[in-house]
Amino acid sequence: MCTKSSRIAGRLVATPLLAFGLAAASGCGGQNETGDDSGGADLLARRSRQVAAAWNGSTAAAAWRAGYHPMGEVVQLPRGGLHSKADEQAYQERNFVLRSKLPDAAPKAERVTWPGKGNESLTRPLMEVRESYESLAGGRADRKPHLTVTRAKLGEMSLATSRGTATVPAWLFTLDGYASPLKLAAATPSKDPHPPIERTSEIPGYPIDQLVRVAADGRSVTVVALHGVCEGEPAVSVLETRGSAVLSASVVSRKNTGNCTAQAKMQQVTVALEHPLGDRVLLDAHTGRPVIHKGSVSEGR
């Protein structure tokens, strides 16, 4: 049987994504029994305050703000988007054909710059062009429909980061039939700092899975939240402080008289903020760690 979950207030819009198997974070046994809703909400609120207090003014927070951490899409499609449903299918299925030689040599590192911030910059290692291409082209080249890459070169792109919009080195892949290239950020994100507070399993709900987007005005964030297949919709609450915004995810319980399989669903949840996120650290109450963008893989994470 499913364990009982607790509900906390949260402004959200949820969109179903998919279901997958889980172990410790499954809908059956991945949560602690909390008794009633108010008790679970109190636990989450207390934990959020602890996480915020640990991060605010810490060396970890300073290191996070000094690094390069993408908060937006690291892949940008050609200007105007893909031309057809067939091309969209090829992109989703990662069916690419390479009709050009990839560059033999490229810089080992390049600068990420933040215009308008005193020309701040940070030198970051670059992902090799072959590795970048293979991250896009994981499907079968002989399968149709497919996208054909006719050229690859090093360029740059604009990307939302934890320090604001940056100009980032990027691999530019020219696609057959397109006037502008597909861009993939080439700079390796900075290593996440060691969090000043340990993760906990003593609160209801599940960790936030990933960041999807930050609104252009910074007044909302969209994340992927989890909930068991026997449970109701996920809810995400936020505690805002001067230096951070701490997200705590829970689920709305629903009675289930049958056996619950070890599966969880992923749903996108949009959470409104009272103040723009800016350079505040977006944190997860369960893990005590920053919530990273879905396309960002930090060094050593």
Side-chain angles (χ1 to χ4, degrees), residues 14-164:
T15 304
L17 294 179
L18 52 87
F20 57 95
L22 292 178
S26 73
C28 302
Q31 306 189 84
N32 295 299
E33 187 69 44
T34 59
D36 56 35
D37 286 354
S38 61
D42 288 345
L43 286 172
L44 287 167
R46 186 181 307 117
R47 170 65 178 180
S48 293
R49 291 193 297 269
Q50 291 171 346
V51 171
W55 272 88
N56 290 348
S58 68
T59 56
W64 175 264
R65 292 192 182 93
Y68 160 59
H69 303 281
M71 302 288 278
E73 293 288 350
V74 296
V75 178
Q76 294 179 2
L77 297 176
R79 195 163 37 249
L82 298 174
H83 291 167
S84 65
K85 293 293 185 182
D87 284 359
E88 291 175 3
Q89 179 184 344
Y91 175 72
Q92 293 296 328
E93 296 180 355
R94 302 170 64 193
N95 294 333
F96 284 75
V97 173
L98 182 61
R99 296 284 187 242
S100 174
K101 185 179 179 181
L102 295 175
D104 291 326
K108 295 295 184 183
E110 284 284 323
R111 286 188 175 273
V112 176
T113 59
W114 285 268
K117 285 182 168 286
N119 291 322
E120 293 179 10
S121 66
L122 184 66
T123 300
R124 295 300 306 156
L126 296 187
M127 182 184 298
E128 294 184 356
V129 63
R130 171 64 65 178
E131 183 181 359
S132 295
Y133 174 75
E134 290 176 352
S135 73
L136 293 171
R140 292 178 53 183
D142 60 349
R143 178 177 294 173
K144 293 185 178 181
H146 58 245
L147 293 165
T148 302
V149 174
T150 60
R151 187 185 181 194
K153 67 176 184 178
L154 188 63
E156 62 185 29
M157 62 188 281
S158 293
L159 179 63
T161 76
S162 57
R163 295 164 61 175

